Amino acid sequence: DTEVTQTPKHLVMGMTNKKSLKCEQHMGHRAMYWYKQKAKKPPELMFVYSYEKLSINESVPSRFSPECPNSSLLNLHLHALQPEDSALYLCASSQAGADTQYFGPGTRLTVL
Amino acid sequence: AQSVTQPDIHITVSEGASLELRCNYSYGATPYLFWYVQSPGQGLQLLLKYFSGDTLVQGIKGFEAEFKRSQSSFNLRKPSVHWSDAAEYFCAAGSGGYQKVTFGIGTKLQVIP
């Protein structure tokens, strides 16, 4: 099973809202990732968690707050977002120390 | 700096025709190489990967890719394209044990009847 699930599929939020994106995998992977993808662009890495610890933060604004409560779950907490944050947010996972990343279907976020 | 180049932003092929999508990389050492496919509004699906060994790699959906060290290339091929292959294709590269993967800009494939 190489499935990564993400909820919700779509999210519309105002600039003052607080919301969370959720990602889950049951492949035993110990590395999990958040990417942001704008239309017609490749995914841009935001965060990497390795063994539930944040290992890479690509200088992402603090209005995005990641959390890895256990080895299967990854959350992205959103607060005071801007319209330019509207994008497809992708979660991925991999074996720790390996590069083959398996992606979820994404959450389409719209900020009004 | 590490980079992945996909020179073709958009390619149109007829259904049943052969396909080759180009990918060149610039890395300090031979990287791990991947091809992903993305349908509109969907996540990325791994087509194939190259780590070492046989330079011709077979993937899912009838795709294959050939690693050529001398040309720093990892081109994706399919002998006969189906309409369902229309999608965005991303080439990507990473270094062993390092979790940051570099993506190319993507090639959009259009398939015409």
Side-chain angles (χ1 to χ4, degrees):
Chain A
D1 182 10
T2 56
E3 187 177 26
V4 176
T5 59
Q6 291 187 243
T7 54
K9 292 179 73 70
H10 301 275
L11 179 62
V12 180
M13 59 186 291
M15 290 189 284
T16 59
N17 292 158
K18 284 186 180 181
K19 297 287 185 182
S20 296
L21 309 184
K22 179 180 173 182
C23 173
E24 192 166 4
Q25 57 88 15
H26 295 287
M27 296 178 277
H29 290 170
R30 302 308 298 270
M32 297 185 76
Y33 310 74
W34 280 116
Y35 287 86
K36 173 183 178 180
Q37 187 180 25
K38 302 284 276 185
K40 302 185 191 303
K41 298 290 187 183
E44 298 174 26
L45 183 65
M46 300 174 72
F47 303 103
V48 180
Y49 272 83
S50 181
Y51 292 94
E52 296 95 71
K53 293 191 187 312
L54 184 65
S55 61
I56 296 177
N57 178 342
E58 291 288 281
S59 302
V60 178
S62 60
R63 58 184 182 270
F64 295 91
S65 176
E67 179 196 20
C68 190
N70 60 56
S71 60
S72 300
L73 282 175
L74 184 66
N75 298 321
L76 186 63
H77 303 297
L78 313 172
H79 173 56
L81 295 192
Q82 304 297 310
E84 59 264 29
D85 297 321
S86 299
L88 182 68
Y89 287 84
L90 294 164
C91 174
S93 71
S94 74
Q95 298 286 356
D99 289 309
T100 306
Q101 296 180 22
Y102 296 90
F103 284 80
T107 294
R108 173 69 62 187
L109 174 67
T110 302
V111 182
L112 301 177
Chain B
Q2 299 166 336
S3 66
V4 175
T5 302
Q6 293 180 249
D8 304 307
I9 302 298
H10 190 271
I11 282 185
T12 300
V13 299
S14 299
E15 191 169 14
S18 63
L19 171 70
E20 182 169 31
L21 302 183
R22 296 183 291 165
C23 174
N24 294 95
Y25 64 89
S26 175
Y27 260 71
T30 299
Y32 294 3
L33 296 162
F34 311 87
W35 276 99
Y36 287 91
V37 61
Q38 185 178 34
S39 296
Q42 302 297 311
L44 277 70
Q45 182 181 22
L46 180 68
L47 285 176
L48 47 79
K49 60 188 178 185
Y50 173 77
F51 282 6
S52 64
D54 192 345
T55 57
L56 187 62
V57 180
Q58 301 298 320
I60 63 171
K61 305 186 178 190
F63 285 93
E64 66 178 26
E66 185 171 13
F67 169 67
K68 292 186 177 180
R69 184 189 306 274
S70 61
Q71 298 176 20
S72 297
S73 69
F74 188 57
N75 295 348
L76 182 71
R77 301 194 294 248
K78 186 169 185 178
S80 177
V81 170
H82 188 263
W83 64 266
S84 60
D85 293 323
E88 190 90 24
Y89 291 79
F90 291 98
C91 182
S95 300
Y98 186 54
Q99 294 159 334
K100 193 169 178 179
V101 172
T102 301
F103 285 89
I105 198 168
T107 297
K108 184 171 183 178
L109 174 64
Q110 182 181 6
V111 180
I112 57 176

